[in-house]
Amino acid sequence: MKKIFDLLFVSIFAIVGFVSCDSKKEYTTVAEDNSGYSISTDVLDSIALLPNSKTLSVDIMEALSARRTERAFSNDNLTNQQIADLLWAANGVNRAGDGKRTAPSARNAQEIDVYLFTPVAIYRYEAVSHSLKLVKEGDYRTSAGTQPFYAAASVAISLVVDFDKMEGFDDPVPMPVRGLSVYGLSAHAFYSATDVGYVSQNIYLYCAAENLGTVVCGSVDREAVANLLGIQNGKVLLSHAIGVLN
């Protein structure tokens, strides 16, 4: 009788252990970082992003040396940690006390918004709360730019200026172009074009440090993307295709 009891106990233990291991495996396959969801495959109204990584194995000089444009990507998804770090590097809050960002902006207007296109949805990056807000469900990566490599990118990013954040920027300013002075360019157009460049370079440097590929594009159907994102008083300036390198 004791032998039968012992055999039953061992069998039950083995079954429980198998189920526990299998459940753990199922959980960890949802997201490599064990956060319980995958930004690339799950649609949520709001996503609290993982805290940004404090260090990477590449220093700033190595990242600058490795910075380049890449247009060929594998079919792999970015991890939740990579997406969180990418968005924070692009234009996240790096000084919690006053809410200032990783990218400078004229008069601290912080007018450049970052929209993330994933295989399942479009999100707006909320820098202050370091979170994502659902904009539209569906795969619209190919809408972010006009080139074919957007279809293979793990994610795409649209960089959009919000003119509501630029009150008082309306005085015309001169802008030297190829040795000529061009007058009449609005201040909000001039400074937003400057500020979006900082955000774009931050994306490039993070991708270089993390061995990801990216390309910045100005060839964008701005009206179509603005309608897709529900932009009221703004303009789509640039887009990035971003992916895991082959």
Side-chain angles (χ1 to χ4, degrees), residues 92-111:
V93 174
N94 65 354
R95 285 153 287 179
D98 53 18
K100 292 185 177 180
R101 306 290 186 86
T102 57
S105 61
R107 302 182 190 175
N108 194 34
Q110 301 179 4
E111 79 280 12

Side-chain angles (χ1 to χ4, degrees), residues 52 54 87-103 110 125-130:
N52 59 289
K54 298 298 183 184
L87 295 170
W88 180 85
N91 203 15
V93 174
N94 65 354
R95 285 153 287 179
D98 53 18
K100 292 185 177 180
R101 306 290 186 86
T102 57
Q110 301 179 4
Y125 176 51
E126 304 291 338
V128 174
S129 59
H130 190 53

Side-chain angles (χ1 to χ4, degrees), residues 19-32 34 36:
V19 171
S20 298
C21 291
D22 188 63
S23 298
K24 184 178 181 181
K25 183 178 180 182
E26 183 179 349
Y27 176 80
T28 55
T29 55
V30 173
E32 291 181 22
N34 297 330

Side-chain angles (χ1 to χ4, degrees), residues 112-113 115 117 144-145 150 156-161 192-201 203-204 215-220 222 225 235-241:
I112 303 302
D113 289 329
Y115 289 83
F117 292 62
Y150 277 87
I157 282 179
S158 281
L159 301 177
V160 179
V161 56
S192 63
T194 301
D195 293 345
V196 76
Y198 302 132
V199 179
S200 177
Q201 180 72 329
I203 292 171
Y204 262 111
V215 50
V216 65
C217 297
S219 179
V220 179
R222 290 177 171 80
V225 177
K235 186 175 183 179
V236 180
L237 298 178
L238 297 173
S239 71
H240 276 260

Side-chain angles (χ1 to χ4, degrees), residues 60-131:
I60 187 63
M61 300 307 285
E62 291 175 304
L64 285 166
S65 296
R67 193 221 64 80
R68 57 180 50 84
T69 289
E70 298 282 356
R71 295 177 175 84
F73 312 109
S74 74
N75 293 322
D76 296 332
N77 289 326
L78 270 64
T79 67
N80 285 1
Q81 187 65 66
Q82 286 174 323
I83 290 174
D85 289 348
L86 168 67
L87 295 170
W88 180 85
N91 203 15
V93 174
N94 65 354
R95 285 153 287 179
D98 53 18
K100 292 185 177 180
R101 306 290 186 86
T102 57
S105 61
R107 302 182 190 175
N108 194 34
Q110 301 179 4
E111 79 280 12
I112 303 302
D113 289 329
V114 178
Y115 289 83
L116 179 73
F117 292 62
T118 78
V120 293
I122 303 173
Y123 296 95
R124 184 177 67 248
Y125 176 51
E126 304 291 338
V128 174
S129 59
H130 190 53
S131 64

